Coordinates of all heavy atoms in Angstrom, one line a residue:
A403 N 13.7 -19.4 14.3 CA 13.1 -20.7 13.9 C 13.3 -21.7 15.0 O 14.4 -21.9 15.5 CB 13.8 -21.1 12.6
I404 N 12.2 -22.3 15.4 CA 12.1 -23.1 16.6 C 11.5 -24.5 16.2 O 10.5 -24.5 15.5 CB 11.2 -22.5 17.6 CG1 11.7 -21.1 18.0 CG2 11.1 -23.4 18.9 CD1 10.7 -20.2 18.7
L405 N 12.2 -25.6 16.5 CA 11.6 -26.9 16.3 C 10.5 -27.1 17.3 O 10.6 -26.7 18.4 CB 12.7 -27.9 16.4 CG 13.8 -27.9 15.3 CD1 15.0 -28.8 15.6 CD2 13.2 -28.3 14.0
T406 N 9.4 -27.8 16.8 CA 8.3 -28.0 17.7 C 7.8 -29.4 17.4 O 8.0 -30.0 16.3 CB 7.2 -27.0 17.5 OG1 6.0 -27.3 18.3 CG2 6.7 -26.9 16.0
E407 N 7.1 -30.0 18.4 CA 6.5 -31.3 18.1 C 5.2 -31.2 17.4 O 4.8 -32.1 16.7 CB 6.1 -32.0 19.5 CG 7.3 -32.4 20.3 CD 7.0 -33.1 21.6 OE1 6.0 -32.6 22.2 OE2 7.6 -34.0 22.0
D408 N 4.5 -30.0 17.5 CA 3.2 -29.8 16.9 C 3.0 -28.3 16.5 O 2.8 -27.5 17.3 CB 2.2 -30.2 17.9 CG 0.7 -30.2 17.3 OD1 0.5 -29.4 16.4 OD2 -0.1 -30.9 17.8
V409 N 3.2 -28.1 15.2 CA 3.1 -26.7 14.7 C 1.7 -26.1 14.9 O 1.6 -24.9 15.2 CB 3.5 -26.6 13.2 CG1 2.5 -27.1 12.3 CG2 4.0 -25.2 12.9
D410 N 0.7 -26.9 14.9 CA -0.7 -26.3 15.1 C -0.8 -25.9 16.6 O -1.4 -24.8 16.9 CB -1.8 -27.4 14.8 CG -1.8 -27.7 13.3 OD1 -1.5 -26.8 12.5 OD2 -2.0 -28.9 13.0
R411 N -0.3 -26.7 17.5 CA -0.4 -26.4 18.9 C 0.4 -25.1 19.2 O 0.0 -24.2 19.9 CB 0.1 -27.6 19.7 CG 0.1 -27.4 21.2 CD 0.7 -28.6 22.0 NE 2.1 -28.7 21.7 CZ 2.9 -29.8 21.8 NH1 2.3 -30.9 22.2 NH2 4.2 -29.7 21.5
F412 N 1.6 -25.0 18.6 CA 2.5 -23.9 18.8 C 1.7 -22.6 18.3 O 1.7 -21.6 19.0 CB 3.8 -24.1 18.0 CG 4.8 -23.0 18.1 CD1 5.9 -23.2 19.0 CD2 4.7 -21.8 17.4 CE1 6.8 -22.2 19.1 CE2 5.6 -20.8 17.6 CZ 6.7 -21.0 18.4
C413 N 1.2 -22.7 17.1 CA 0.5 -21.5 16.5 C -0.7 -21.1 17.3 O -1.0 -19.9 17.5 CB 0.1 -21.8 15.1 SG 1.4 -21.9 13.9
S414 N -1.4 -22.1 17.8 CA -2.6 -21.8 18.6 C -2.3 -21.0 19.9 O -3.0 -20.0 20.2 CB -3.3 -23.1 19.0 OG -4.4 -22.9 19.9
L415 N -1.2 -21.4 20.6 CA -0.8 -20.7 21.8 C -0.5 -19.2 21.5 O -1.1 -18.3 22.1 CB 0.4 -21.3 22.5 CG 0.9 -20.5 23.6 CD1 0.1 -20.6 24.9 CD2 2.4 -20.7 23.9
Y416 N 0.3 -19.0 20.5 CA 0.8 -17.6 20.2 C -0.4 -16.8 19.6 O -0.4 -15.6 19.8 CB 2.0 -17.7 19.3 CG 3.2 -18.0 20.2 CD1 3.7 -19.3 20.2 CD2 3.9 -17.1 20.9 CE1 4.7 -19.7 21.0 CE2 5.0 -17.4 21.7 CZ 5.4 -18.7 21.8 OH 6.4 -19.1 22.6
A417 N -1.3 -17.4 18.8 CA -2.4 -16.7 18.3 C -3.4 -16.4 19.4 O -3.9 -15.2 19.5 CB -3.1 -17.5 17.2
D418 N -3.8 -17.4 20.2 CA -4.8 -17.2 21.2 C -4.4 -16.3 22.3 O -5.1 -15.5 22.8 CB -5.3 -18.6 21.8 CG -5.9 -19.4 20.7 OD1 -6.3 -18.9 19.6 OD2 -6.1 -20.6 21.0
V419 N -3.1 -16.5 22.8 CA -2.7 -15.7 24.0 C -2.1 -14.4 23.6 O -2.4 -13.4 24.2 CB -1.7 -16.6 24.8 CG1 -1.1 -15.8 25.9 CG2 -2.3 -17.9 25.3
F420 N -1.3 -14.3 22.6 CA -0.5 -13.1 22.2 C -1.1 -12.3 21.1 O -0.6 -11.3 20.8 CB 0.9 -13.5 21.9 CG 1.7 -14.0 23.1 CD1 1.8 -15.4 23.3 CD2 2.2 -13.2 24.1 CE1 2.5 -15.9 24.4 CE2 2.9 -13.7 25.2 CZ 3.0 -15.1 25.4
G421 N -2.1 -12.9 20.4 CA -2.7 -12.2 19.2 C -1.8 -12.3 18.0 O -2.1 -11.6 17.0
A422 N -0.9 -13.3 17.9 CA -0.1 -13.4 16.7 C -0.9 -13.9 15.6 O -2.0 -14.5 15.8 CB 1.0 -14.5 17.0
T423 N -0.5 -13.5 14.4 CA -1.2 -13.9 13.2 C -0.4 -14.8 12.3 O 0.8 -14.5 12.0 CB -1.5 -12.6 12.3 OG1 -2.2 -11.6 13.2 CG2 -2.3 -12.9 11.1
V424 N -1.0 -15.9 11.9 CA -0.3 -16.8 11.0 C -0.4 -16.2 9.6 O -1.5 -16.0 9.1 CB -1.0 -18.2 11.0 CG1 -0.3 -19.1 10.0 CG2 -0.9 -18.8 12.4

Side-chain angles (χ1 to χ4, degrees):
I404 304 159
L405 293 169
T406 179
E407 291 179 324
D408 185 332
V409 76
D410 296 324
R411 181 182 67 202
F412 184 101
C413 291
S414 177
L415 171 81
Y416 286 94
D418 295 349
V419 174
F420 296 96
T423 304
V424 176

